[in-house]
Amino acid sequence: MDNAFRRAAVCFGETLANASDRYFDTLSELRIRADKPVVAYLLNTPYFVASNGELTSDCSADLLRISFDELKNGFVKLCAYSVYKHIGSMSRGFITLAGGHRVGVCGAAVVSGGEVTSVCDVTSLNIRAAKEFPGCSRCVTDATDLRRGALICGAPSSGKTTLLRDLARTLSLEKLGKVCVIDERYEIAACFSGRPGFDVGLSDIYSGYPKKTAVELAVRTMSPEYIICDELTGEGLSGICDALNCGVSVIATSHCGSAEEAADSANVKALLKTGAFQSVIFLDGSLPPRISKICAPGEI
């Protein structure tokens, strides 16, 4: 059991912490909603958490519920009694915990100048169990030439970020490549108080930077051979084009479960149009991550 994840779960009581202990190997998410049953996801399969800590698919069972006050107090504990310290990431919908675990936060937006600046009256949390599988990226490095760029596609919770962090470790430490990790949402390296929560080898890490800004800084100051980033969308396209013009290989991810979905995705089409990605890799949703298919851009 990951001690950091247990410390997060125990903020909402020993029953939830004990359930997390028992099922941690396959646990991917704990979804806690005020006054509603707690739901645990083992990989992508949902189960209710019973009041005795067992998992069940029976919605009529005696289920664990977290009251609004318990949720509020537990969230303050998650923030180590300093919610203000997390305001920056909360405005983007999450906080990051020690160990690389991330908590999605839903509640009422605090808006200033037309922008969300914080969240109050938290109503639900999604505690995601971050994991690493050293060596899992060999399925990619053995199958394609990453010097020509790769776009890794998969459904949510299919292991895209898990694969990226091991690619960062492998390319920088084993291959001695110059790697910059653009970790806008603190998920890949998951730095906490300046320390990476995961082994990303000898990578240089830009935490919390907008992707476009981070790519521009990396290209100008760090002379990377590879840039690795998560959840790339159209907002980062100009930065990616700058990287390409400097001969940098880009490895990124996109939410897309299959080649058929990719063919219908305006975002994927825009990404492929940049010419940054000579391989499009689809994951099958397993952990450790596994490839289901590799396509050339012209096959999408």
Side-chain angles (χ1 to χ4, degrees):
M1 172 63 180
D2 183 286
N3 288 333
F5 193 86
R6 192 184 202 286
R7 287 196 297 272
V10 81
C11 291
F12 305 93
E14 283 290 342
T15 298
L16 194 56
N18 291 337
S20 301
D21 279 345
R22 190 174 300 117
Y23 299 103
F24 184 74
D25 287 347
T26 54
L27 180 66
S28 57
E29 296 180 353
L30 287 176
R31 305 186 79 97
I32 305 171
R33 303 173 176 94
D35 298 320
K36 303 293 184 182
V38 176
V39 180
Y41 280 76
L42 305 189
L43 297 180
N44 290 318
T45 304
Y47 296 91
F48 296 111
V49 180
S51 59
N52 61 3
E54 299 291 338
L55 299 190
T56 178
S57 56
D58 181 4
C59 62
S60 65
D62 183 15
L63 303 178
L64 178 67
R65 298 171 189 264
I66 305 298
S67 71
F68 182 83
D69 285 341
E70 289 171 330
L71 181 65
K72 180 174 66 175
N73 293 334
F75 181 67
V76 172
K77 292 177 184 177
L78 279 180
C79 294
Y81 298 95
S82 181
V83 175
Y84 181 80
K85 180 180 177 181
H86 297 274
I87 281 180
S89 63
M90 282 175 60
S91 67
R92 291 181 285 161
F94 69 95
I95 65 172
T96 300
L97 307 177
H101 309 295
R102 195 181 71 164
V103 183
V105 181
C106 287
V110 178
V111 180
S112 176
E115 295 186 356
V116 177
T117 58
S118 186
V119 178
C120 65
D121 297 330
V122 174
T123 56
S124 61
L125 302 170
N126 179 24
I127 308 176
R128 299 182 64 180
K131 298 176 183 178
E132 57 185 343
F133 296 92
C136 71
S137 62
R138 296 192 193 285
C139 67
V140 172
T141 57
D142 290 347
T144 188
D145 184 0
L146 293 175
R147 291 174 298 179
R148 303 179 67 195
L151 183 65
I152 300 170
C153 297
S157 300
S158 61
K160 298 186 297 297
T161 305
T162 302
L163 185 58
L164 280 187
R165 67 173 61 104
D166 196 60
L167 281 170
R169 182 191 65 82
T170 298
L171 292 173
S172 66
L173 188 59
E174 298 182 14
K175 307 293 186 182
L176 296 182
K178 294 185 289 184
V179 177
C180 281
V181 172
I182 311 303
D183 203 3
E184 183 177 8
R185 296 179 64 85
Y186 297 85
E187 289 189 279
I188 304 173
C191 288
F192 184 82
S193 297
R195 296 182 179 180
F198 295 106
D199 182 5
V200 290
L202 302 177
S203 300
D204 301 304
I205 306 164
Y206 288 86
S207 295
Y209 286 79
K211 290 184 179 68
K212 183 179 185 300
T213 301
V215 170
E216 290 173 350
L217 290 173
V219 168
R220 290 175 184 172
T221 64
M222 300 304 292
S223 64
E225 295 172 303
Y226 299 92
I227 284 178
I228 290 178
C229 60
D230 211 351
E231 298 181 23
L232 190 60
T233 63
E235 295 176 359
L237 288 182
S238 60
I240 293 303
C241 291
D242 290 343
L244 285 179
N245 291 333
C246 295
V248 181
S249 300
V250 179
I251 303 169
T253 65
S254 181
H255 286 307
C256 187
S258 67
E260 291 74 23
E261 289 182 19
D264 293 330
S265 169
N267 186 60
V268 171
K269 289 178 181 178
L271 292 174
L272 296 182
K273 191 175 181 180
T274 65
F277 310 104
Q278 297 305 305
S279 297
V280 185
I281 300 168
F282 295 93
L283 302 183
D284 68 2
S286 304
L287 283 180
R290 290 202 304 254
I291 296 173
S292 64
K293 187 176 184 179
I294 298 180
C295 298
E299 297 175 301
I300 301 298

